[in-house]
Amino acid sequence: MFPRWTICLLLAAVCAADGPETFTMRLDAQGFSVEELEAAAVLPLERALLAHTAVRRCTVRIRPGEAELRIELGGELPFQMDALREALEALPDEVSVSYLAGEPAAPAIELLVCAPESARVALSIWCTSLAQELARQPGVGGIELAGTSVERLRVALDLTRLAAFGLSIDDVQRALGEAGMVVQQGSMLRGEELLLDLEPNALEVEDLVLTVRADARVLLRDVGELRASREARGRVAFDGRAAVWLGVVPGEGEEVAPALLTSLRAFEAALEAISGAVYGLRGLGPELPGLAFGCWGRCSPLMRTAEQAFSELAENLEDGQPWLLIQRAGQTEVRFAAPDTKAFESAYTRFPGYVMSDAARLARVTIRAPEREALGFALRHLQIELTSDGGLVPFRVLGLASRPALRVELDEAKLRMLGLSPEAVRRQLGTWGPLAPDNAERLADMLLSTPDGAVVPLQHVASIQLASEGYDWMRDQGQPAACIELAGTEEALRRAAARLPDIELPAGVDVSWQQD
C-alpha cells in the first residue's frame, strides 16, 4: 500500500497534465459517527485543501463511516503541498483514503429482469452469474447490482456442550479460520447459544474437526448447528413483481454493448428455464413494455424507506401505470410511466418529496452558514418560503439530516483491565453499520473475546443510550452546508429565483441558486 501522502503527487500530476478539473477523495472509517469523522479527518483535510489558490471549490458529503471530498481545480498545484501531506499523515489509522480523478462513470446500459415472486432466488442466482461473466468481458469497467440476495451461514454454538468438551469459542474460531472459513463480526448471544456468521464459502462445515482426542474426534456438529438463509442486497420491484436491476459501467473510452449482448446470449437458455422470467434493457433496447425508463424520480431514504415507497407506489399510482422501484447503495429510486407532463405534475402532489420527471426542471439552492443551528433555521425557512406559492416541490433535501440512533460510550478503563483494545472494539462495532434503535438488545449482547478465552457482553463494558446523530452532512468552502433541490416548471422556478434575494435569513448565511 502506498503512503497516504502520495495522493499529493497524484493530485499535482493530474493538474500538471491538464487532466480532469475535478478530483474526489474518499474516506472510509468504519465505526466513526458523522461527528467523529468530521472532526478527526474532514476538517483537517478541508483546511489544507482550501489553503491552495488552485482549489476553486471543495464540497464535502459525510455519512456514518464514510466521507467524500469533491475538489474543483482551477490551475496547477505545487508539488510541495506540506499542509495537505501533514493532514493526510495525521489521519487516524482506522481511516483509509482513496481517490478518483474526474467524474465517476455511470451505467451506460441498464438491464431489468423480472420473474414471479416464487422465482426470486433463481432470478438472483441467474443475475449474479451474469454479472460475474460480464465483469470478465472486455470494455466493461464495472457492474452495479440491486435486488439480488446472498447466502448466509450461521453456526449456533451450544455453550453448555462446548464447555462439556473442554473447548472455548476461540478454539472454534481458530478451527474455522484454519479451514479458510471467514467468521464475520457481530456474534450474538441468545440464551445458551452463541451465533457466529460465516461467509458463504463454508462447505460441509458441520464435519469440521475441532479437536482430536484419544477416544474420538470432536466435530462442529457435536457442539453446534449450521443454519442457512439468504440476505437481500437492496430491493427491486417492477409492478409489484420480483426483479433484479443490473447496471453496466463502461471502461474508459470503451463500448459495453457487445460484451452485454455476448453474455446475454450465453445465459438466455438458463433464463428461459425460470418460469415467467422476462428482461428489458435501457440504452440498448428492447425496453420492457410500458416502462418509460427515461421518466424517472428519486427519493432519499431519509424521507422514505424502500418499504414505504413500495407501499405508496402500489396505493397511489393509477391502475395499469407501470412503475419500478430500485433500492441500492443507500438510495431509493422510483421510476414510473405517464402519458404526458400533466400526469407527472399530478404525481407530484401524491408523492411530495421525491417524485420528479424529465418533463420537470430542477434547481438547487445551496445554503452555507457558520454554525449548523443557523443553517437548520435557514433551511426550514427557505423550504417554506420557496414552495409557498405552489408549482414547486422539494425534490430532496441534503446536508443536515439526523436520525435516532444508539450511542455507545465505552468504559476504556474496564476494557483495558480485561486486556481489550478500545480501538478493536470500535472496529467491531463498525461492522454493524448504522446502530439502529431496534438493535439495542442485540448490541448489548454482542460478545467480546478476551485474551484468556472468556467472553464479555458489550453491556458490561459500555453504556448504550438512545440519541440523535448526524446521518448525512455537507460542507462547502469550509462551512457547514445544505441544499434543497426543487422540481417544477420553468415559470415556477423563475419566480422562486426572483424571490430568493428578498427572503430574510440570519447574519452570515449565504445562499446560491443553480438551475439545470
Side-chain angles (χ1 to χ4, degrees), residues 323-344:
W323 57 269
L324 171 67
L325 179 141
I326 305 172
Q327 192 265 326
R328 63 188 178 100
Q331 279 197 327
T332 303
E333 178 178 336
V334 174
R335 304 181 188 182
F336 60 91
D340 51 37
T341 303
K342 186 175 181 180
F344 279 114

Side-chain angles (χ1 to χ4, degrees), residues 140-191:
V140 175
I143 304 292
E144 298 180 15
L145 268 176
T148 57
S149 59
V150 295
E151 286 186 335
R152 291 290 300 273
L153 294 175
R154 174 167 280 180
V155 177
L157 294 177
D158 187 318
L159 299 182
T160 303
R161 297 178 67 186
L162 197 66
F165 282 104
L167 296 171
S168 68
I169 296 167
D170 284 345
D171 292 329
V172 177
Q173 291 182 318
R174 185 164 42 251
L176 289 167
E178 290 173 354
M181 302 171 193
V182 180
V183 180
Q184 297 178 339
Q185 297 290 340
S187 56
M188 179 173 60
L189 183 65
R190 181 178 293 166

Side-chain angles (χ1 to χ4, degrees), residues 37-68:
L37 187 53
E38 181 184 53
V42 169
L43 291 179
L45 290 173
E46 183 184 64
R47 284 193 291 266
L49 286 164
L50 291 174
H52 293 280
T53 56
V55 176
R56 293 187 300 191
R57 190 172 186 181
C58 176
T59 55
V60 187
R61 190 91 178 265
I62 317 171
R63 292 180 175 177
E66 61 182 12
E68 185 174 280

